[in-house]
Amino acid sequence: MTNRRYLDQRLKLHHLRAVDAIAAHHSLLKASAALGITQPALTKTLQELEEILRQRLFDRLPRGMRPTEAGALLAQFSRRMLAEIRRLDEELDRLSGPDGGVVAIGTLPVAATGVLPGALTRLKRQHPQLRIRLEQGRTEDLLPKLVSGEIDLIVGRLYEPAMPDGLLREPLWEEPISVLARRDHPVFELPEITLHALRHYELVLPTVTQRVGQEIEAFLDRLALAPASSLRSSSYGFIREMLHATDMLSVMPRLMMAGDLLRGTLKVIPLPEAAPPRPAGIILPPNRTPAAAGQSFLAALRAHIAEIGERGLASITSPHSSAARSNKTRLR
């Protein structure tokens, strides 16, 4: 018979924080810096924890720390528990006032620069005391945080999961790849805009990694719009400035520039070529209803998306109807 470890009496929050930090940083030095304690103090906490659990939690490697099977199990448990404690703290904030609370949002890069600023502006106008935590990343990095409760929902492009994961994916809009230019660009004065005419202009393109970058490259190849002199930048601000100040064109998911499209300083160049469908929306956990702060954010997001749809900048997908996809790059 296994002797009891009495974890309910001996396990403390600082133990959970320690193992979570070491598992995240793979280094005692980096984890101690993240926790704001000395490395010897963290080493002592880890030794104490391993004695309590009677398990080795990390293998000490020449270049860092690797969790054992027990360490990985405890790190996963720690993330869930710490997320629940944060959630309790946020719910207590909500009880202190009608606009209290915190919403933790995971966002993909296109949504972060596109639809989120407008949605959050609307949210803060309606609920000025509500706090927002944003975490930008790739889908594969954000999904574990959604499952563990570290974030409440994910906003952005909806990619098909490699395997069923039980998460709720609700499409709300399409973010098609399009050709963009400033509103007074010479191309809009042409009697007919053709691909041949567009090839006379240089491009400024985002150096977006992963799948978005592949989709942009595929669309460029399809339109044969890939001059050797094109500029590439990871800076949204640089691309935006070049579009406004020059005759350069850009090819990107159009809602990366949602604010400028809504203000009318940039326009979508109408083309006969079909743009690849790119559904976007929200991802929610199946067994956790968003708290009041999350519900307020979702209402603001839906209202902002509705405005974008009314302005003809993207097709809007309604869960209550079969909305048409935005399969053309033309501005309706």
Side-chain angles (χ1 to χ4, degrees), residues 144-157:
K145 298 185 177 186
L146 178 66
V147 173
S148 70
E150 294 176 71
I151 55 179
D152 297 313
L153 70 159
I154 298 173
V155 180
R157 172 82 158 91

Side-chain angles (χ1 to χ4, degrees), residues 70-243:
L73 178 64
L74 182 59
Q76 184 180 26
F77 170 82
S78 299
R79 282 192 293 270
R80 288 201 304 268
M81 289 300 297
L82 293 171
E84 286 300 315
I85 291 171
R86 282 193 296 270
R87 188 174 300 278
L88 172 61
D89 191 21
E90 293 164 0
E91 285 299 296
L92 291 172
D93 281 345
R94 180 184 63 81
L95 293 177
S96 66
D99 279 339
V102 180
V103 57
I105 305 166
T107 175
L108 275 66
V110 174
T113 59
V115 301
L116 264 187
L120 294 179
T121 299
R122 185 184 297 263
L123 177 66
K124 293 299 287 183
R125 187 166 59 243
Q126 297 169 344
H127 304 279
Q129 301 304 316
L130 193 148
R131 290 184 289 153
I132 301 159
R133 285 197 289 112
L134 283 179
E135 181 155 354
Q136 182 174 321
R138 301 175 302 174
T139 303
E140 52 267 38
D141 298 326
L142 295 174
L143 288 179
K145 298 185 177 186
L146 178 66
V147 173
S148 70
E150 294 176 71
I151 55 179
D152 297 313
L153 70 159
I154 298 173
V155 180
R157 172 82 158 91
L158 297 179
Y159 294 103
E160 287 292 331
M163 298 180 62
D165 54 19
L167 297 173
L168 304 178
R169 289 170 170 82
E170 182 181 341
L172 296 178
W173 74 92
E174 292 272 350
E175 47 182 37
I177 295 173
S178 305
V179 183
L180 304 180
R182 59 185 171 86
R183 64 181 176 188
D184 55 349
H185 195 284
V187 74
F188 294 115
E189 300 176 3
L190 297 175
E192 180 183 5
I193 299 176
T194 64
L195 293 176
H196 177 74
L198 297 184
R199 294 184 187 114
H200 289 87
Y201 296 98
E202 294 183 341
L203 302 180
V204 54
L205 303 171
T207 53
V208 185
T209 59
Q210 304 303 320
R211 287 172 284 195
V212 174
Q214 296 171 8
E215 290 175 301
I216 291 174
E217 291 299 323
F219 197 55
L220 282 170
D221 289 342
R222 186 173 180 176
L223 301 181
L225 288 175
S229 58
S230 62
L231 292 177
R232 293 184 182 271
S233 174
S234 59
S235 168
Y236 160 82
F238 175 80
I239 294 173
R240 181 175 179 270
E241 182 63 25
M242 294 301 290
L243 282 175

Side-chain angles (χ1 to χ4, degrees), residues 48 63 69 180-181 206 217 222 224 235 258 262 271 295 314 322:
E48 181 183 275
R63 294 186 177 180
E69 185 176 0
L180 304 180
E217 291 299 323
R222 186 173 180 176
S235 168
L262 286 171
L271 295 173
Q295 297 287 358
S322 55

